[in-house]
Amino acid sequence: MELLHEASQRSEAIETLDPRDWEDLRAQGHRMLDDMIDYIAGVRDRPVWQPIPDTVRAEFRATLPRQPSGLGEVYREFTDFIAPYATGNVHPGFMGWVHGGGSAVGMLAEMLAAGLNANLGGRDHIPIEVERQIVQWMAEMFGFPAGASGIFVTGTSMANLMAVLVARTTALGTSARQHGIGDEGALLTAYTSKAAHGCIAKAMDIAGFGTDALRCIAVDPSHRIDVAALRAQIACDREAGRTPFLVVASAGTVDIGGIDDLLALGALCHEQQLWFHVDGAYGALGILSPVVAPRLKGIEDADSIAFDFHKWGQVPYDAGFLMVRDGERHRRAFAAPAAYLRRETRGLAAGSPWPCDLGPDLSRGFRALKTWFTLKTYGTEKIGAVITRTCALAEYLEARIVAEPRLELLAPVNLNIVCFRYRAADADKINGDIVIDIQESGIAAPSTTVLDGQLAIRAAIVNHRTDTCDIDALISAVLEFGARRSGSCDGLVPQVEPSPPLAV
């Protein structure tokens, strides 16, 4: 009894991170939840983005906190110094980069996932079954066979790297994982288009091939890879003694949303026995849209597909995904047996294979839950309708630009990205300033890119909250700031009457 009493006293003295007053935490939690719901519901009442004052930035140069602070005090710092200065992609006026808008449902699911605090590296627990459910759904969606595998990652940059590694192991065998790519691997050559995302070259670098092993093929005016030029380069490389092994197609190029001819590329890869990978960062989910899906014909023949749920899928960051047609090839590229990862046929160490067999991470968050909630709550038809609508809004913006003599369209509108500029004598300088002026005004948040040596204003319409009024506000802002910058008037441009919401 004396030992039990001592143990009890020690137990009371043990430090814990649980609150002393759960009801106080509950009240604080309800306040945080209500505030974040209000934050999303009232998003139009705030600027899209605003510059960070020096005084606010200085708040995050403080020394390491060694003593506790009250949760309410810490939360006040969040509301004062963090929430007002976020990227702004929750706002319907955010059109600068291909960032999804998220949803309140996804936010709530993320809270639930944090409460479970599950590690999805492995073992036998239901969160992994949720991720496997998503894999099954994606195989169904893309027409992949039952043996296909999939895994959540941070984003498509990581998924593309992992696809390169799977292709590498397929080409060289698993010995490359122990001994490196060697002389044989040094001859391997990959192919993508000049319009492909920069992460493809980075993947070749990290995978040990070097960026010189990546051939960047010319594109047509719609930023689709020139298949004939690709075929010719492959033949040239073979004649020079190199070994082509991988083609990376784009489904939604970063600048203007071009989609490569996936049918032709799939046929070429099959003929040449090359790994056919599709970088579908945001475009792959267009398979859910009746308007976009026909343009993705051939994606079902890919050996692997990388994409993000946090873009067109509107899942909160981050939720990237890699699908591999041959699950066994996927596993051979990453599985690494270890004593501490021993598998059993029952108990918590059952359920093999584990997600850690399909990627580099052993510690993995429950990204699948917010994706599962999003797909279950809205359904793929609703998400597909949102995707269709963003493309319709891009067409609306295109029509506004074509009808305005002071504006110039710089590229065809393929999906949901529009590149244009204000006509001026020093167009590159003025349009660069216009974009920054608009960002700092809080009206909208476009970005810039360079097309054929010309700086363009780039509007990527991804957010499900965006409407015609936001497009009109962007146009009005470009005209107003353009007039100010070019000195063509006193800067007072009549505001365009808002258009009615776009019905799709």
Side-chain angles (χ1 to χ4, degrees):
M1 288 296 293
E2 185 175 339
L3 289 175
L4 183 61
H5 178 68
E6 289 179 4
S8 176
Q9 286 183 320
R10 285 198 300 269
S11 176
E12 292 175 2
I14 289 174
E15 290 287 354
T16 176
L17 299 181
D18 284 338
R20 292 184 179 277
D21 186 341
W22 284 98
E23 290 307 310
D24 180 63
L25 178 70
R26 188 188 307 278
Q28 292 275 13
H30 280 299
R31 178 187 171 192
M32 292 177 182
L33 179 59
D34 287 343
D35 285 352
M36 287 311 298
I37 290 174
D38 288 344
Y39 179 89
I40 298 172
V43 66
R44 286 186 180 275
D45 299 330
R46 298 190 307 277
V48 179
W49 174 85
Q50 55 185 329
I52 305 170
D54 290 342
T55 53
V56 171
R57 206 180 294 274
E59 292 288 333
F60 298 92
R61 303 294 183 267
T63 58
L64 179 69
R66 300 202 175 272
Q67 298 302 318
S69 300
L71 177 59
E73 180 183 344
V74 176
Y75 179 57
R76 180 193 58 76
E77 292 189 41
F78 169 83
T79 58
D80 290 350
F81 305 131
I82 296 177
Y85 304 103
T87 310
N89 51 301
V90 175
H91 197 289
F94 185 94
M95 306 174 202
W97 296 269
V98 184
H99 293 185
S103 73
V105 165
M107 179 190 74
L108 294 172
E110 190 79 306
M111 178 190 69
L112 298 177
L116 291 178
N117 194 31
N119 180 355
L120 271 74
R123 302 180 179 85
D124 194 19
H125 52 124
I126 206 66
I128 288 180
E129 294 300 332
V130 175
E131 182 160 337
R132 288 171 178 153
Q133 172 78 94
I134 304 294
V135 174
Q136 176 191 323
W137 287 344
M138 293 305 101
E140 177 184 344
M141 203 168 84
F142 289 110
F144 271 30
S149 58
I151 188 169
F152 275 94
V153 292
T154 52
T156 296
S157 293
M158 176 59 76
N160 283 332
L161 168 60
M162 290 167 61
V164 169
L165 294 173
V166 177
R168 184 189 72 176
T169 304
T170 300
L172 298 176
T174 56
S175 63
R177 296 181 58 191
Q178 287 80 43
H179 308 302
I181 64 172
D183 293 340
E184 184 183 0
L187 297 175
L188 292 179
T189 309
Y191 305 83
T192 193
S193 81
K194 289 186 176 179
H197 196 281
C199 69
I200 306 300
K202 185 180 288 188
M204 292 294 289
D205 169 13
I206 298 172
F209 298 109
T211 57
D212 285 350
L214 179 66
R215 305 288 192 257
C216 295
I217 309 300
V219 296
D220 66 14
S222 294
H223 280 209
R224 296 172 301 189
I225 193 169
D226 184 330
V227 180
L230 170 63
R231 180 182 289 275
Q233 184 63 59
I234 291 171
C236 181
D237 284 330
R238 287 196 191 281
E239 188 175 345
R242 300 194 66 86
T243 308
F245 81 110
L246 166 69
V247 171
V248 179
S250 297
T253 56
V254 64
D255 278 329
I256 68 170
I259 299 176
D260 288 333
D261 186 340
L262 302 181
L263 265 178
L265 291 174
L268 176 62
C269 288
H270 180 73
E271 170 197 319
Q272 299 277 342
Q273 295 187 317
L274 308 177
W275 188 272
F276 178 31
H277 174 66
V278 176
D279 173 7
Y282 81 93
L285 285 181
I287 199 79
L288 299 176
S289 163
V291 173
V292 180
R295 300 178 60 189
L296 293 168
K297 184 65 178 171
I299 198 170
E300 67 277 5
D301 297 324
D303 290 302
S304 51
I305 307 172
F307 61 95
D308 293 322
F309 287 108
H310 56 236
K311 292 187 171 80
W312 255 350
Q314 310 298 332
V315 173
Y317 276 86
D318 53 31
F321 204 75
L322 174 66
M323 282 293 298
V324 179
R325 170 178 296 277
D326 187 331
E328 181 56 27
R329 288 183 173 181
H330 188 179
R331 191 194 65 79
R332 285 203 300 265
F334 293 103
Y340 52 84
L341 298 177
R342 175 184 168 88
R343 314 300 163 85
E344 304 290 353
T345 56
R346 61 190 182 92
L348 190 52
S352 185
W354 295 348
C356 65
D357 298 325
L358 303 175
D361 296 323
L362 180 55
S363 296
R364 303 176 62 249
F366 196 1
R367 295 183 180 99
L369 188 63
K370 57 192 173 186
T371 307
W372 184 83
F373 259 83
T374 300
L375 292 172
K376 292 277 287 185
T377 302
Y378 299 111
T380 57
E381 289 185 6
K382 177 70 172 178
I383 296 171
V386 167
I387 291 170
T388 300
R389 189 169 181 277
T390 62
C391 295
L393 285 166
E395 292 176 356
Y396 174 76
L397 175 55
E398 177 187 26
R400 287 293 316 274
I401 293 164
V402 171
E404 173 51 65
R406 289 169 287 180
L407 301 178
E408 176 186 10
L409 192 69
L410 291 186
V413 177
N414 290 299
L415 295 173
N416 61 326
I417 298 177
V418 184
C419 293
F420 67 104
R421 68 177 179 172
Y422 185 87
R423 297 181 189 271
D426 190 2
D428 286 357
K429 174 67 167 64
I430 286 176
N431 280 275
D433 287 337
I434 287 171
V435 166
I436 296 172
D437 289 340
I438 294 173
Q439 291 172 351
E440 291 180 341
S441 74
I443 295 170
S447 65
T448 61
T449 190
V450 177
L451 300 173
D452 298 324
Q454 296 179 308
L455 187 137
I457 299 172
R458 177 175 176 268
I461 305 165
V462 187
N463 194 321
H464 60 95
R465 303 178 181 95
T466 304
D467 206 342
T468 49
C469 61
D470 303 295
I471 305 299
D472 293 338
L474 172 65
I475 290 289
S476 294
V478 170
L479 294 175
E480 179 172 349
F481 287 114
R484 292 180 185 177
R485 288 287 175 181
S486 64
S488 60
C489 69
D490 61 2
L492 298 176
V493 176
Q495 294 295 309
V496 178
E497 286 296 320
S499 304
L502 187 69
V504 176

